[in-house]
Amino acid sequence: MATMLPPPVVTKPAIPAHPSGPRIWYHAGSYPHLSLPDGRQEVVRSVLNITKPMQFGDFVWNDDGIPDGPVWVRIDLARQLLSVFRDGSEIGSAVILYGDHTKQTPLGTFSILEKRKDYHSRTYDAPMPYMLRLTNDGVAIHGSDVREGWATHGCIGVPLEFARLLFAIAHKGDLVVILPAERGAGKA
């Protein structure tokens, strides 16, 4: 199973080309690279220009003008944020729920193992709409009521509409990276 690894870092300087509007584009030739726990690096061509702090239940989704391409997900437990990238551009970001100390969310690099639109957990007798399974023991990304003070049994809970959008573009085998909550000040 996954182990705790250091968070990814930008490995080369990035100069934004257009810091206003719904998206920040980086200049070709100076794209930032995110180092992943498994040693891979992902190029970032653009990020969403989120101009105010997001609260529990908030998300942003904007894939206008972003071509089809590989999809991967970055989950930052320290900031309680999930980011979706397609073809090197961030297209979605959401405030998340994750496991508490009694049932922690695993860390590391995963692949989506299964997709089920209308899944219901037999273990917890709970709906898990738009489920994207990450582990064989049931950890998944799924639609949840994302509220302050709540936690999951190790899953990543995202707002329902965000879960629907992610489910529509995600495929079995897509990369998901989960980074630790222990750095910085903890939960955001």
Side-chain angles (χ1 to χ4, degrees), residues 92-165:
S93 184
V95 177
I96 64 166
L97 296 178
Y98 63 92
D100 66 12
H101 67 282
T102 62
K103 183 70 171 147
Q104 295 183 355
T105 299
L107 306 175
T109 303
F110 304 88
S111 293
I112 295 173
L113 302 174
E114 177 186 8
K115 287 178 62 170
R116 301 243 329 248
K117 181 179 177 184
D118 296 311
Y119 185 75
H120 191 92
S121 169
R122 292 179 303 275
T123 304
Y124 299 107
D125 189 24
M128 295 171 57
Y130 304 106
M131 184 273 298
L132 302 172
R133 185 178 307 280
L134 303 178
T135 68
N136 289 325
D137 64 348
V139 174
I141 300 169
H142 61 80
S144 292
D145 184 5
V146 179
R147 293 193 274 173
E148 187 171 6
W150 286 36
T152 69
H153 292 98
C155 288
I156 302 297
V158 297
L160 185 60
E161 179 61 15
F162 185 89
R164 185 188 67 75
L165 292 164

Side-chain angles (χ1 to χ4, degrees), residues 52-60 93-96 146 159 162:
K52 63 179 184 169
M54 293 197 310
Q55 305 299 316
F56 288 92
D58 287 351
F59 72 90
V60 175
S93 184
V95 177
I96 64 166
V146 179
F162 185 89

Side-chain angles (χ1 to χ4, degrees), residues 30-110:
S30 66
Y31 293 136
H33 291 75
L34 291 177
S35 297
L36 305 183
D38 66 359
R40 278 188 278 189
Q41 291 197 355
E42 290 289 334
V43 171
V44 177
R45 291 178 173 82
S46 71
V47 293
L48 293 168
N49 188 18
I50 301 171
T51 59
K52 63 179 184 169
M54 293 197 310
Q55 305 299 316
F56 288 92
D58 287 351
F59 72 90
V60 175
W61 190 277
N62 184 333
D63 59 0
D64 293 344
I66 303 302
D68 287 337
V71 171
W72 70 282
V73 176
R74 179 182 187 273
I75 300 169
D76 184 335
L77 299 183
R79 291 183 176 84
Q80 280 191 258
L81 288 174
L82 180 151
S83 294
V84 180
F85 290 84
R86 185 174 72 204
D87 194 42
S89 289
E90 183 184 36
I91 61 170
S93 184
V95 177
I96 64 166
L97 296 178
Y98 63 92
D100 66 12
H101 67 282
T102 62
K103 183 70 171 147
Q104 295 183 355
T105 299
L107 306 175
T109 303
F110 304 88

